[in-house]
Amino acid sequence: MAFVGKKDTGLKTVVKGFLTGGTQAAITYPTEFVKTQLQLQSKSNPEFNGIIDCFKKTISKHGIGGCYVGAPVRIIGAGFQQMFRWGAYTNLAGLARDPNTGKLSPVMTTLCGLGAGITEAVCAVTPVETLKTRVTDDQRRGTGNYKGTGDALVKIFKSEGPMGLYRGAFPTILKQGTNQAVRMPLQVQLMGLITLGDTTKNQNPLYNGGAGFLAGCGSVLLTQPQDCVKSRMQGEAAKQLYSGTVDCAMKMMRNEGPAAFFAGSIPRMVQVGMTSGLSFALFPVISKLLNKVM
C-alpha cells in the first residue's frame, strides 16, 4: 500500500487493523445482509426480486433491525478479520521489501496480499461468515432455530463442535486469498493513476478510499463464484443438501446454471467496494491518530 511504510510492522498495525475493520463493518452491514439473502434464496423460486425488494420486505416483516441480524458478530469479526489482514500484510511486507530501496515489488505486493487473505480466512472470516449466514438463513426460512448470534454460536458448538464453524472453509480461503492478492496490488496501481505519481498524497484518505473502492469492485469479478458457493455451504440446510464444496458447485451448475454463481453480485460489488474503500481510507487516518498515543 502507498501508505504502508517499512516501519509499519508489529503489534501497532494489528490494533489499527482491528479498529479499521470494526468501524467499516458497522457502516456497511445492511448491504452485506442483503447480499447474503439474495445468494441464499432459490433461483427457481426467488423470494426477492432484487436489492430494493429485499430491503423492503425485510423492513416490512422485521423492522429496520432485521437488516442488522447477525451484525454484532460481523462487526467484531470484521475487526478481527482486518486485524489479521493488516497484521499479516504489513509484517509480510516488512520481510519482503527490497533491502536497498525499502520498496515492495508488484509481485511481492501480490504475494503479501495472498498471505494476508489466507490468514484472515482461516483465523476470522470462515467462522464469522458461518455464524452470520446461519443466523440470516434461519430468519429467511422462519425456522426460529436461533434467538441471535450468541445463541447460534452456543447451539452450533453443542451440536456440531468447533468444526461446525468451518463449513465452506475451502471456498472461503480461495475467495479471501484471491481477494487480497488482487486488491492490494490493484489499489497501489490505481493510487498511482489517481495521484499521477504524487507521493505527497499517499496518506490522503480520499485518494486511498477512491482507489480502494475501485480495487474492491475489481476483485469481486474474480471471486463472486467462490463467494456464492461459500454462502450455500454455510446455509442452514447445507449438510442435507451437499456432501462438500465440489458437490455444491456441481449441483448449482446442474440445477440453476452459471448465473447461480453470480447471484448477489451487484450488492456484493457495492458492499465490497464500500468496505474496501472505507478500509483503505480509515487505515491511514486511524494509523495517524494511534501513532500519537502508541
Side-chain angles (χ1 to χ4, degrees), residues 154-231:
V154 172
K155 287 181 176 177
I156 291 170
F157 254 90
K158 282 184 177 180
S159 62
E160 303 172 41
M163 291 309 296
L165 296 174
Y166 277 85
R167 282 190 194 173
F170 178 72
T172 304
I173 291 169
L174 187 64
K175 183 194 78 167
Q176 292 304 124
T178 307
N179 259 342
Q180 303 312 324
V182 171
R183 196 176 300 166
M184 296 296 192
L186 186 56
Q187 197 271 350
V188 173
Q189 298 303 315
L190 289 167
M191 187 69 177
L193 291 173
I194 292 172
T195 63
L196 300 176
D198 186 352
T199 57
T200 62
K201 296 175 181 176
N202 283 354
Q203 296 289 331
N204 187 296
L206 293 178
Y207 286 112
N208 274 297
F213 177 84
L214 294 174
C217 290
S219 68
V220 168
L221 298 175
L222 295 176
T223 60
Q224 185 65 17
Q226 299 97 298
D227 192 61
C228 286
V229 173
K230 172 197 71 70
S231 289

Side-chain angles (χ1 to χ4, degrees), residues 105-170:
S105 69
V107 172
M108 284 301 167
T109 302
T110 301
L111 291 176
C112 289
L114 177 64
I118 292 172
T119 301
E120 69 177 352
V122 173
C123 298
V125 178
T126 302
V128 168
E129 287 287 306
T130 299
L131 271 176
K132 180 213 65 173
T133 303
R134 296 280 288 268
V135 171
T136 55
D137 196 21
D138 180 56
Q139 174 180 282
R140 183 181 66 85
R141 291 169 177 270
T143 46
N145 291 330
Y146 310 122
K147 296 176 183 176
T149 303
D151 183 53
L153 178 62
V154 172
K155 287 181 176 177
I156 291 170
F157 254 90
K158 282 184 177 180
S159 62
E160 303 172 41
M163 291 309 296
L165 296 174
Y166 277 85
R167 282 190 194 173
F170 178 72

